Amino acid sequence: MKYFAYLAIMVLLISVAALFYLQRPDGQTWLTSDGISSKSNQLTDQMLELSSDTFAIAAKLVSETSQKVVESITYESSVATTVIYKWQDQQGQWHYSDQPNPNGTSEKVILDPRDITVTAAEDTSILKGTSKTTNMSLMPNSSSVYDPVVMKKLFEDAEQVKEQLEHRTKSLDETH
């Protein structure tokens, strides 16, 4: 393996050296020292142009980034924070206000507007059984959900709904 590596390196060196002596069809050698030095100078000039362009781009990026940082710091210092007060009454209900509790102690809470997400409120009256669109109650008036009277009424109502649906289906089938 060691000899193969030496042999490969020697073939490579002989091939490169041969390019200085072998001639193209126009009579010029494939490689000349002048050609190599001029190509090297061209590549060096191109690299210098690219590096100066890269330096200009990097300087512009640094400038823009530092400007954004300054703007961010200015914005953060100009954002007004809001102070609210919260306290709990004797029934355990929490109260929030822009004024401290006049009857006791309050805890001061500082609100940062950037940390607050505002969403539209939804109608939750149906959860309490006081929907605006219907006068039906979702929860029975009885103290127990499993009250036999309530259960009997529930099954009767379900049978009425079933009969009404069957009647409607029958009438729709007759019209078509």
Side-chain angles (χ1 to χ4, degrees), residues 7-46:
L7 182 62
I9 292 172
M10 290 304 290
V11 168
L12 181 66
L13 289 175
I14 291 171
S15 300
V16 170
L19 292 175
F20 283 99
Y21 296 104
L22 294 175
Q23 295 180 354
R24 297 184 292 196
D26 64 354
Q28 300 291 325
T29 58
W30 287 96
L31 286 179
T32 62
S33 59
D34 293 334
I36 291 174
S37 65
S38 67
K39 189 68 173 174
S40 174
N41 289 338
Q42 288 176 355
L43 289 174
T44 303
D45 292 341
Q46 288 176 354

PDB file of all heavy atoms in Angstrom, residues 7-46:
ATOM      1  N   LEU A   7       3.891   5.635  -5.783  1.00  0.00           N
ATOM      2  CA  LEU A   7       3.747   5.531  -7.226  1.00  0.00           C
ATOM      3  C   LEU A   7       2.689   6.523  -7.736  1.00  0.00           C
ATOM      4  O   LEU A   7       2.896   7.205  -8.746  1.00  0.00           O
ATOM      5  CB  LEU A   7       3.362   4.094  -7.613  1.00  0.00           C
ATOM      6  CG  LEU A   7       3.221   3.822  -9.095  1.00  0.00           C
ATOM      7  CD1 LEU A   7       4.546   4.051  -9.828  1.00  0.00           C
ATOM      8  CD2 LEU A   7       2.704   2.432  -9.333  1.00  0.00           C
ATOM      9  N   ALA A   8       1.564   6.659  -7.038  1.00  0.00           N
ATOM     10  CA  ALA A   8       0.503   7.570  -7.447  1.00  0.00           C
ATOM     11  C   ALA A   8       0.988   9.019  -7.391  1.00  0.00           C
ATOM     12  O   ALA A   8       0.713   9.810  -8.307  1.00  0.00           O
ATOM     13  CB  ALA A   8      -0.720   7.382  -6.552  1.00  0.00           C
ATOM     14  N   ILE A   9       1.744   9.358  -6.363  1.00  0.00           N
ATOM     15  CA  ILE A   9       2.265  10.722  -6.245  1.00  0.00           C
ATOM     16  C   ILE A   9       3.259  11.007  -7.362  1.00  0.00           C
ATOM     17  O   ILE A   9       3.253  12.090  -7.960  1.00  0.00           O
ATOM     18  CB  ILE A   9       2.896  10.942  -4.850  1.00  0.00           C
ATOM     19  CG1 ILE A   9       1.800  10.923  -3.783  1.00  0.00           C
ATOM     20  CG2 ILE A   9       3.670  12.249  -4.796  1.00  0.00           C
ATOM     21  CD1 ILE A   9       2.302  10.943  -2.355  1.00  0.00           C
ATOM     22  N   MET A  10       4.087  10.061  -7.676  1.00  0.00           N
ATOM     23  CA  MET A  10       5.076  10.245  -8.736  1.00  0.00           C
ATOM     24  C   MET A  10       4.399  10.422 -10.100  1.00  0.00           C
ATOM     25  O   MET A  10       4.795  11.277 -10.899  1.00  0.00           O
ATOM     26  CB  MET A  10       6.049   9.059  -8.790  1.00  0.00           C
ATOM     27  CG  MET A  10       6.987   8.997  -7.600  1.00  0.00           C
ATOM     28  SD  MET A  10       7.950  10.489  -7.372  1.00  0.00           S
ATOM     29  CE  MET A  10       9.033  10.409  -8.759  1.00  0.00           C
ATOM     30  N   VAL A  11       3.344   9.642 -10.362  1.00  0.00           N
ATOM     31  CA  VAL A  11       2.615   9.771 -11.632  1.00  0.00           C
ATOM     32  C   VAL A  11       1.979  11.148 -11.708  1.00  0.00           C
ATOM     33  O   VAL A  11       2.006  11.804 -12.768  1.00  0.00           O
ATOM     34  CB  VAL A  11       1.564   8.645 -11.767  1.00  0.00           C
ATOM     35  CG1 VAL A  11       0.600   8.902 -12.927  1.00  0.00           C
ATOM     36  CG2 VAL A  11       2.246   7.294 -11.948  1.00  0.00           C
ATOM     37  N   LEU A  12       1.444  11.629 -10.636  1.00  0.00           N
ATOM     38  CA  LEU A  12       0.824  12.951 -10.601  1.00  0.00           C
ATOM     39  C   LEU A  12       1.855  14.039 -10.871  1.00  0.00           C
ATOM     40  O   LEU A  12       1.618  14.950 -11.671  1.00  0.00           O
ATOM     41  CB  LEU A  12       0.143  13.178  -9.235  1.00  0.00           C
ATOM     42  CG  LEU A  12      -0.578  14.500  -9.059  1.00  0.00           C
ATOM     43  CD1 LEU A  12      -1.771  14.593  -9.983  1.00  0.00           C
ATOM     44  CD2 LEU A  12      -1.005  14.693  -7.634  1.00  0.00           C
ATOM     45  N   LEU A  13       3.016  13.962 -10.226  1.00  0.00           N
ATOM     46  CA  LEU A  13       4.066  14.963 -10.444  1.00  0.00           C
ATOM     47  C   LEU A  13       4.580  14.934 -11.881  1.00  0.00           C
ATOM     48  O   LEU A  13       4.808  15.990 -12.496  1.00  0.00           O
ATOM     49  CB  LEU A  13       5.219  14.742  -9.465  1.00  0.00           C
ATOM     50  CG  LEU A  13       4.925  15.088  -7.996  1.00  0.00           C
ATOM     51  CD1 LEU A  13       6.115  14.711  -7.117  1.00  0.00           C
ATOM     52  CD2 LEU A  13       4.634  16.574  -7.865  1.00  0.00           C
ATOM     53  N   ILE A  14       4.763  13.761 -12.435  1.00  0.00           N
ATOM     54  CA  ILE A  14       5.243  13.642 -13.820  1.00  0.00           C
ATOM     55  C   ILE A  14       4.195  14.215 -14.776  1.00  0.00           C
ATOM     56  O   ILE A  14       4.532  14.904 -15.747  1.00  0.00           O
ATOM     57  CB  ILE A  14       5.579  12.171 -14.160  1.00  0.00           C
ATOM     58  CG1 ILE A  14       6.825  11.741 -13.357  1.00  0.00           C
ATOM     59  CG2 ILE A  14       5.802  11.976 -15.650  1.00  0.00           C
ATOM     60  CD1 ILE A  14       7.119  10.262 -13.436  1.00  0.00           C
ATOM     61  N   SER A  15       2.900  13.978 -14.497  1.00  0.00           N
ATOM     62  CA  SER A  15       1.822  14.502 -15.360  1.00  0.00           C
ATOM     63  C   SER A  15       1.803  16.018 -15.351  1.00  0.00           C
ATOM     64  O   SER A  15       1.672  16.666 -16.401  1.00  0.00           O
ATOM     65  CB  SER A  15       0.464  13.984 -14.889  1.00  0.00           C
ATOM     66  OG  SER A  15       0.421  12.596 -14.929  1.00  0.00           O
ATOM     67  N   VAL A  16       1.963  16.633 -14.168  1.00  0.00           N
ATOM     68  CA  VAL A  16       1.968  18.090 -14.083  1.00  0.00           C
ATOM     69  C   VAL A  16       3.208  18.645 -14.790  1.00  0.00           C
ATOM     70  O   VAL A  16       3.131  19.625 -15.541  1.00  0.00           O
ATOM     71  CB  VAL A  16       1.910  18.560 -12.611  1.00  0.00           C
ATOM     72  CG1 VAL A  16       2.153  20.058 -12.501  1.00  0.00           C
ATOM     73  CG2 VAL A  16       0.580  18.186 -11.988  1.00  0.00           C
ATOM     74  N   ALA A  17       4.383  18.020 -14.585  1.00  0.00           N
ATOM     75  CA  ALA A  17       5.611  18.488 -15.232  1.00  0.00           C
ATOM     76  C   ALA A  17       5.517  18.329 -16.751  1.00  0.00           C
ATOM     77  O   ALA A  17       6.019  19.172 -17.509  1.00  0.00           O
ATOM     78  CB  ALA A  17       6.806  17.718 -14.691  1.00  0.00           C
ATOM     79  N   ALA A  18       4.838  17.285 -17.217  1.00  0.00           N
ATOM     80  CA  ALA A  18       4.711  17.049 -18.661  1.00  0.00           C
ATOM     81  C   ALA A  18       3.899  18.155 -19.316  1.00  0.00           C
ATOM     82  O   ALA A  18       4.120  18.492 -20.490  1.00  0.00           O
ATOM     83  CB  ALA A  18       4.069  15.695 -18.906  1.00  0.00           C
ATOM     84  N   LEU A  19       2.948  18.778 -18.583  1.00  0.00           N
ATOM     85  CA  LEU A  19       2.136  19.857 -19.152  1.00  0.00           C
ATOM     86  C   LEU A  19       2.979  21.083 -19.503  1.00  0.00           C
ATOM     87  O   LEU A  19       2.580  21.887 -20.344  1.00  0.00           O
ATOM     88  CB  LEU A  19       1.009  20.243 -18.190  1.00  0.00           C
ATOM     89  CG  LEU A  19      -0.081  19.184 -17.993  1.00  0.00           C
ATOM     90  CD1 LEU A  19      -1.076  19.630 -16.938  1.00  0.00           C
ATOM     91  CD2 LEU A  19      -0.792  18.906 -19.306  1.00  0.00           C
ATOM     92  N   PHE A  20       4.143  21.217 -18.872  1.00  0.00           N
ATOM     93  CA  PHE A  20       5.030  22.333 -19.218  1.00  0.00           C
ATOM     94  C   PHE A  20       5.782  22.058 -20.526  1.00  0.00           C
ATOM     95  O   PHE A  20       6.308  22.984 -21.135  1.00  0.00           O
ATOM     96  CB  PHE A  20       6.036  22.589 -18.090  1.00  0.00           C
ATOM     97  CG  PHE A  20       5.436  23.313 -16.911  1.00  0.00           C
ATOM     98  CD1 PHE A  20       5.025  22.621 -15.776  1.00  0.00           C
ATOM     99  CD2 PHE A  20       5.287  24.692 -16.931  1.00  0.00           C
ATOM    100  CE1 PHE A  20       4.502  23.278 -14.697  1.00  0.00           C
ATOM    101  CE2 PHE A  20       4.754  25.354 -15.843  1.00  0.00           C
ATOM    102  CZ  PHE A  20       4.352  24.651 -14.715  1.00  0.00           C
ATOM    103  N   TYR A  21       5.871  20.788 -20.970  1.00  0.00           N
ATOM    104  CA  TYR A  21       6.630  20.432 -22.158  1.00  0.00           C
ATOM    105  C   TYR A  21       5.752  20.021 -23.337  1.00  0.00           C
ATOM    106  O   TYR A  21       6.125  20.230 -24.491  1.00  0.00           O
ATOM    107  CB  TYR A  21       7.615  19.298 -21.841  1.00  0.00           C
ATOM    108  CG  TYR A  21       8.661  19.724 -20.846  1.00  0.00           C
ATOM    109  CD1 TYR A  21       8.603  19.327 -19.517  1.00  0.00           C
ATOM    110  CD2 TYR A  21       9.717  20.544 -21.237  1.00  0.00           C
ATOM    111  CE1 TYR A  21       9.546  19.733 -18.608  1.00  0.00           C
ATOM    112  CE2 TYR A  21      10.669  20.959 -20.336  1.00  0.00           C
ATOM    113  CZ  TYR A  21      10.585  20.552 -19.017  1.00  0.00           C
ATOM    114  OH  TYR A  21      11.519  20.957 -18.111  1.00  0.00           O
ATOM    115  N   LEU A  22       4.611  19.433 -23.068  1.00  0.00           N
ATOM    116  CA  LEU A  22       3.730  19.003 -24.161  1.00  0.00           C
ATOM    117  C   LEU A  22       3.092  20.225 -24.807  1.00  0.00           C
ATOM    118  O   LEU A  22       2.742  21.192 -24.137  1.00  0.00           O
ATOM    119  CB  LEU A  22       2.641  18.063 -23.635  1.00  0.00           C
ATOM    120  CG  LEU A  22       3.124  16.716 -23.092  1.00  0.00           C
ATOM    121  CD1 LEU A  22       1.966  15.937 -22.499  1.00  0.00           C
ATOM    122  CD2 LEU A  22       3.773  15.912 -24.219  1.00  0.00           C
ATOM    123  N   GLN A  23       2.913  20.152 -26.119  1.00  0.00           N
ATOM    124  CA  GLN A  23       2.400  21.302 -26.857  1.00  0.00           C
ATOM    125  C   GLN A  23       0.979  21.039 -27.357  1.00  0.00           C
ATOM    126  O   GLN A  23       0.620  19.925 -27.705  1.00  0.00           O
ATOM    127  CB  GLN A  23       3.309  21.617 -28.032  1.00  0.00           C
ATOM    128  CG  GLN A  23       4.686  22.053 -27.610  1.00  0.00           C
ATOM    129  CD  GLN A  23       5.575  22.361 -28.805  1.00  0.00           C
ATOM    130  OE1 GLN A  23       5.193  22.147 -29.958  1.00  0.00           O
ATOM    131  NE2 GLN A  23       6.759  22.877 -28.539  1.00  0.00           N
ATOM    132  N   ARG A  24       0.219  22.133 -27.413  1.00  0.00           N
ATOM    133  CA  ARG A  24      -1.133  22.097 -27.971  1.00  0.00           C
ATOM    134  C   ARG A  24      -1.031  22.114 -29.488  1.00  0.00           C
ATOM    135  O   ARG A  24       0.066  22.330 -30.043  1.00  0.00           O
ATOM    136  CB  ARG A  24      -1.933  23.314 -27.486  1.00  0.00           C
ATOM    137  CG  ARG A  24      -2.142  23.333 -25.977  1.00  0.00           C
ATOM    138  CD  ARG A  24      -3.012  24.480 -25.570  1.00  0.00           C
ATOM    139  NE  ARG A  24      -2.277  25.737 -25.808  1.00  0.00           N
ATOM    140  CZ  ARG A  24      -2.588  26.904 -25.304  1.00  0.00           C
ATOM    141  NH1 ARG A  24      -3.653  27.015 -24.536  1.00  0.00           N
ATOM    142  NH2 ARG A  24      -1.897  27.975 -25.542  1.00  0.00           N
ATOM    143  N   PRO A  25      -2.175  21.963 -30.174  1.00  0.00           N
ATOM    144  CA  PRO A  25      -2.122  21.996 -31.652  1.00  0.00           C
ATOM    145  C   PRO A  25      -1.638  23.329 -32.216  1.00  0.00           C
ATOM    146  O   PRO A  25      -1.090  23.376 -33.317  1.00  0.00           O
ATOM    147  CB  PRO A  25      -3.581  21.741 -32.063  1.00  0.00           C
ATOM    148  CG  PRO A  25      -4.183  21.015 -30.918  1.00  0.00           C
ATOM    149  CD  PRO A  25      -3.482  21.493 -29.702  1.00  0.00           C
ATOM    150  N   ASP A  26      -1.773  24.425 -31.454  1.00  0.00           N
ATOM    151  CA  ASP A  26      -1.302  25.723 -31.962  1.00  0.00           C
ATOM    152  C   ASP A  26       0.182  25.942 -31.694  1.00  0.00           C
ATOM    153  O   ASP A  26       0.734  26.985 -32.002  1.00  0.00           O
ATOM    154  CB  ASP A  26      -2.127  26.863 -31.372  1.00  0.00           C
ATOM    155  CG  ASP A  26      -1.987  26.980 -29.867  1.00  0.00           C
ATOM    156  OD1 ASP A  26      -1.347  26.109 -29.239  1.00  0.00           O
ATOM    157  OD2 ASP A  26      -2.542  27.945 -29.286  1.00  0.00           O
ATOM    158  N   GLY A  27       0.866  24.979 -31.098  1.00  0.00           N
ATOM    159  CA  GLY A  27       2.305  25.073 -30.878  1.00  0.00           C
ATOM    160  C   GLY A  27       2.693  25.598 -29.512  1.00  0.00           C
ATOM    161  O   GLY A  27       3.872  25.591 -29.156  1.00  0.00           O
ATOM    162  N   GLN A  28       1.771  26.054 -28.710  1.00  0.00           N
ATOM    163  CA  GLN A  28       2.059  26.555 -27.355  1.00  0.00           C
ATOM    164  C   GLN A  28       1.996  25.391 -26.367  1.00  0.00           C
ATOM    165  O   GLN A  28       1.297  24.415 -26.575  1.00  0.00           O
ATOM    166  CB  GLN A  28       1.024  27.618 -26.945  1.00  0.00           C
ATOM    167  CG  GLN A  28       0.984  28.833 -27.835  1.00  0.00           C
ATOM    168  CD  GLN A  28       2.250  29.669 -27.688  1.00  0.00           C
ATOM    169  OE1 GLN A  28       2.821  29.776 -26.617  1.00  0.00           O
ATOM    170  NE2 GLN A  28       2.698  30.233 -28.806  1.00  0.00           N
ATOM    171  N   THR A  29       2.764  25.498 -25.277  1.00  0.00           N
ATOM    172  CA  THR A  29       2.709  24.464 -24.242  1.00  0.00           C
ATOM    173  C   THR A  29       1.420  24.639 -23.429  1.00  0.00           C
ATOM    174  O   THR A  29       0.836  25.726 -23.360  1.00  0.00           O
ATOM    175  CB  THR A  29       3.925  24.558 -23.298  1.00  0.00           C
ATOM    176  OG1 THR A  29       3.957  25.838 -22.705  1.00  0.00           O
ATOM    177  CG2 THR A  29       5.206  24.286 -24.056  1.00  0.00           C
ATOM    178  N   TRP A  30       0.990  23.543 -22.839  1.00  0.00           N
ATOM    179  CA  TRP A  30      -0.252  23.579 -22.053  1.00  0.00           C
ATOM    180  C   TRP A  30      -0.115  24.488 -20.848  1.00  0.00           C
ATOM    181  O   TRP A  30      -1.052  25.205 -20.488  1.00  0.00           O
ATOM    182  CB  TRP A  30      -0.644  22.167 -21.602  1.00  0.00           C
ATOM    183  CG  TRP A  30      -1.169  21.334 -22.739  1.00  0.00           C
ATOM    184  CD1 TRP A  30      -0.463  20.445 -23.490  1.00  0.00           C
ATOM    185  CD2 TRP A  30      -2.498  21.338 -23.260  1.00  0.00           C
ATOM    186  NE1 TRP A  30      -1.248  19.876 -24.449  1.00  0.00           N
ATOM    187  CE2 TRP A  30      -2.532  20.409 -24.317  1.00  0.00           C
ATOM    188  CE3 TRP A  30      -3.663  22.016 -22.960  1.00  0.00           C
ATOM    189  CZ2 TRP A  30      -3.672  20.138 -25.055  1.00  0.00           C
ATOM    190  CZ3 TRP A  30      -4.808  21.747 -23.686  1.00  0.00           C
ATOM    191  CH2 TRP A  30      -4.804  20.826 -24.713  1.00  0.00           C
ATOM    192  N   LEU A  31       1.000  24.479 -20.171  1.00  0.00           N
ATOM    193  CA  LEU A  31       1.241  25.314 -18.996  1.00  0.00           C
ATOM    194  C   LEU A  31       2.521  26.105 -19.178  1.00  0.00           C
ATOM    195  O   LEU A  31       3.517  25.602 -19.695  1.00  0.00           O
ATOM    196  CB  LEU A  31       1.392  24.466 -17.727  1.00  0.00           C
ATOM    197  CG  LEU A  31       0.140  23.845 -17.142  1.00  0.00           C
ATOM    198  CD1 LEU A  31       0.494  23.029 -15.903  1.00  0.00           C
ATOM    199  CD2 LEU A  31      -0.892  24.895 -16.766  1.00  0.00           C
ATOM    200  N   THR A  32       2.488  27.390 -18.739  1.00  0.00           N
ATOM    201  CA  THR A  32       3.692  28.212 -18.692  1.00  0.00           C
ATOM    202  C   THR A  32       3.713  28.919 -17.353  1.00  0.00           C
ATOM    203  O   THR A  32       2.661  29.140 -16.725  1.00  0.00           O
ATOM    204  CB  THR A  32       3.697  29.274 -19.816  1.00  0.00           C
ATOM    205  OG1 THR A  32       2.590  30.152 -19.643  1.00  0.00           O
ATOM    206  CG2 THR A  32       3.668  28.635 -21.193  1.00  0.00           C
ATOM    207  N   SER A  33       4.856  29.290 -16.916  1.00  0.00           N
ATOM    208  CA  SER A  33       4.945  29.986 -15.631  1.00  0.00           C
ATOM    209  C   SER A  33       4.296  31.359 -15.717  1.00  0.00           C
ATOM    210  O   SER A  33       3.673  31.833 -14.756  1.00  0.00           O
ATOM    211  CB  SER A  33       6.398  30.095 -15.179  1.00  0.00           C
ATOM    212  OG  SER A  33       7.148  30.796 -16.158  1.00  0.00           O
ATOM    213  N   ASP A  34       4.399  32.024 -16.896  1.00  0.00           N
ATOM    214  CA  ASP A  34       3.742  33.323 -17.069  1.00  0.00           C
ATOM    215  C   ASP A  34       2.219  33.169 -17.018  1.00  0.00           C
ATOM    216  O   ASP A  34       1.507  33.990 -16.442  1.00  0.00           O
ATOM    217  CB  ASP A  34       4.147  33.958 -18.403  1.00  0.00           C
ATOM    218  CG  ASP A  34       5.630  34.345 -18.436  1.00  0.00           C
ATOM    219  OD1 ASP A  34       6.183  34.580 -17.339  1.00  0.00           O
ATOM    220  OD2 ASP A  34       6.185  34.428 -19.540  1.00  0.00           O
ATOM    221  N   GLY A  35       1.714  32.125 -17.664  1.00  0.00           N
ATOM    222  CA  GLY A  35       0.270  31.869 -17.653  1.00  0.00           C
ATOM    223  C   GLY A  35      -0.242  31.584 -16.244  1.00  0.00           C
ATOM    224  O   GLY A  35      -1.312  32.061 -15.852  1.00  0.00           O
ATOM    225  N   ILE A  36       0.542  30.832 -15.506  1.00  0.00           N
ATOM    226  CA  ILE A  36       0.143  30.514 -14.126  1.00  0.00           C
ATOM    227  C   ILE A  36       0.151  31.775 -13.275  1.00  0.00           C
ATOM    228  O   ILE A  36      -0.776  32.022 -12.494  1.00  0.00           O
ATOM    229  CB  ILE A  36       1.067  29.421 -13.536  1.00  0.00           C
ATOM    230  CG1 ILE A  36       0.818  28.090 -14.234  1.00  0.00           C
ATOM    231  CG2 ILE A  36       0.840  29.276 -12.043  1.00  0.00           C
ATOM    232  CD1 ILE A  36       1.763  27.001 -13.824  1.00  0.00           C
ATOM    233  N   SER A  37       1.173  32.603 -13.401  1.00  0.00           N
ATOM    234  CA  SER A  37       1.255  33.811 -12.578  1.00  0.00           C
ATOM    235  C   SER A  37       0.160  34.811 -12.959  1.00  0.00           C
ATOM    236  O   SER A  37      -0.434  35.462 -12.088  1.00  0.00           O
ATOM    237  CB  SER A  37       2.637  34.453 -12.680  1.00  0.00           C
ATOM    238  OG  SER A  37       2.869  34.904 -13.989  1.00  0.00           O
ATOM    239  N   SER A  38      -0.155  34.960 -14.277  1.00  0.00           N
ATOM    240  CA  SER A  38      -1.217  35.893 -14.664  1.00  0.00           C
ATOM    241  C   SER A  38      -2.574  35.385 -14.172  1.00  0.00           C
ATOM    242  O   SER A  38      -3.408  36.166 -13.692  1.00  0.00           O
ATOM    243  CB  SER A  38      -1.232  36.110 -16.173  1.00  0.00           C
ATOM    244  OG  SER A  38      -1.613  34.925 -16.840  1.00  0.00           O
ATOM    245  N   LYS A  39      -2.831  34.086 -14.282  1.00  0.00           N
ATOM    246  CA  LYS A  39      -4.093  33.519 -13.778  1.00  0.00           C
ATOM    247  C   LYS A  39      -4.167  33.677 -12.271  1.00  0.00           C
ATOM    248  O   LYS A  39      -5.232  33.988 -11.719  1.00  0.00           O
ATOM    249  CB  LYS A  39      -4.180  32.043 -14.182  1.00  0.00           C
ATOM    250  CG  LYS A  39      -5.493  31.411 -13.906  1.00  0.00           C
ATOM    251  CD  LYS A  39      -6.571  31.993 -14.809  1.00  0.00           C
ATOM    252  CE  LYS A  39      -7.855  31.229 -14.657  1.00  0.00           C
ATOM    253  NZ  LYS A  39      -8.950  31.840 -15.392  1.00  0.00           N
ATOM    254  N   SER A  40      -3.049  33.485 -11.603  1.00  0.00           N
ATOM    255  CA  SER A  40      -3.007  33.651 -10.156  1.00  0.00           C
ATOM    256  C   SER A  40      -3.319  35.098  -9.777  1.00  0.00           C
ATOM    257  O   SER A  40      -4.064  35.353  -8.822  1.00  0.00           O
ATOM    258  CB  SER A  40      -1.628  33.252  -9.632  1.00  0.00           C
ATOM    259  OG  SER A  40      -1.519  33.534  -8.269  1.00  0.00           O
ATOM    260  N   ASN A  41      -2.754  36.063 -10.530  1.00  0.00           N
ATOM    261  CA  ASN A  41      -3.043  37.474 -10.257  1.00  0.00           C
ATOM    262  C   ASN A  41      -4.516  37.806 -10.494  1.00  0.00           C
ATOM    263  O   ASN A  41      -5.121  38.555  -9.724  1.00  0.00           O
ATOM    264  CB  ASN A  41      -2.157  38.376 -11.124  1.00  0.00           C
ATOM    265  CG  ASN A  41      -0.706  38.348 -10.680  1.00  0.00           C
ATOM    266  OD1 ASN A  41      -0.421  38.017  -9.531  1.00  0.00           O
ATOM    267  ND2 ASN A  41       0.194  38.668 -11.583  1.00  0.00           N
ATOM    268  N   GLN A  42      -5.097  37.233 -11.551  1.00  0.00           N
ATOM    269  CA  GLN A  42      -6.516  37.456 -11.816  1.00  0.00           C
ATOM    270  C   GLN A  42      -7.377  36.917 -10.671  1.00  0.00           C
ATOM    271  O   GLN A  42      -8.303  37.577 -10.204  1.00  0.00           O
ATOM    272  CB  GLN A  42      -6.939  36.779 -13.127  1.00  0.00           C
ATOM    273  CG  GLN A  42      -6.433  37.442 -14.383  1.00  0.00           C
ATOM    274  CD  GLN A  42      -6.824  36.635 -15.622  1.00  0.00           C
ATOM    275  OE1 GLN A  42      -7.385  35.551 -15.535  1.00  0.00           O
ATOM    276  NE2 GLN A  42      -6.505  37.197 -16.793  1.00  0.00           N
ATOM    277  N   LEU A  43      -7.067  35.718 -10.236  1.00  0.00           N
ATOM    278  CA  LEU A  43      -7.837  35.114  -9.134  1.00  0.00           C
ATOM    279  C   LEU A  43      -7.674  35.917  -7.845  1.00  0.00           C
ATOM    280  O   LEU A  43      -8.630  36.093  -7.082  1.00  0.00           O
ATOM    281  CB  LEU A  43      -7.409  33.664  -8.921  1.00  0.00           C
ATOM    282  CG  LEU A  43      -7.838  32.685 -10.021  1.00  0.00           C
ATOM    283  CD1 LEU A  43      -7.228  31.309  -9.762  1.00  0.00           C
ATOM    284  CD2 LEU A  43      -9.354  32.592 -10.096  1.00  0.00           C
ATOM    285  N   THR A  44      -6.443  36.445  -7.620  1.00  0.00           N
ATOM    286  CA  THR A  44      -6.212  37.262  -6.426  1.00  0.00           C
ATOM    287  C   THR A  44      -7.036  38.541  -6.479  1.00  0.00           C
ATOM    288  O   THR A  44      -7.659  38.934  -5.489  1.00  0.00           O
ATOM    289  CB  THR A  44      -4.715  37.601  -6.305  1.00  0.00           C
ATOM    290  OG1 THR A  44      -3.959  36.398  -6.280  1.00  0.00           O
ATOM    291  CG2 THR A  44      -4.436  38.392  -5.050  1.00  0.00           C
ATOM    292  N   ASP A  45      -7.065  39.174  -7.658  1.00  0.00           N
ATOM    293  CA  ASP A  45      -7.865  40.395  -7.806  1.00  0.00           C
ATOM    294  C   ASP A  45      -9.361  40.106  -7.587  1.00  0.00           C
ATOM    295  O   ASP A  45     -10.061  40.874  -6.927  1.00  0.00           O
ATOM    296  CB  ASP A  45      -7.662  41.010  -9.187  1.00  0.00           C
ATOM    297  CG  ASP A  45      -6.257  41.569  -9.367  1.00  0.00           C
ATOM    298  OD1 ASP A  45      -5.583  41.813  -8.332  1.00  0.00           O
ATOM    299  OD2 ASP A  45      -5.830  41.758 -10.529  1.00  0.00           O
ATOM    300  N   GLN A  46      -9.829  39.000  -8.152  1.00  0.00           N
ATOM    301  CA  GLN A  46     -11.235  38.636  -7.963  1.00  0.00           C
ATOM    302  C   GLN A  46     -11.547  38.384  -6.480  1.00  0.00           C
ATOM    303  O   GLN A  46     -12.597  38.791  -5.979  1.00  0.00           O
ATOM    304  CB  GLN A  46     -11.586  37.395  -8.786  1.00  0.00           C
ATOM    305  CG  GLN A  46     -11.655  37.650 -10.276  1.00  0.00           C
ATOM    306  CD  GLN A  46     -11.921  36.371 -11.055  1.00  0.00           C
ATOM    307  OE1 GLN A  46     -11.949  35.272 -10.495  1.00  0.00           O
ATOM    308  NE2 GLN A  46     -12.104  36.517 -12.361  1.00  0.00           N
TER     309      GLN A  46
END
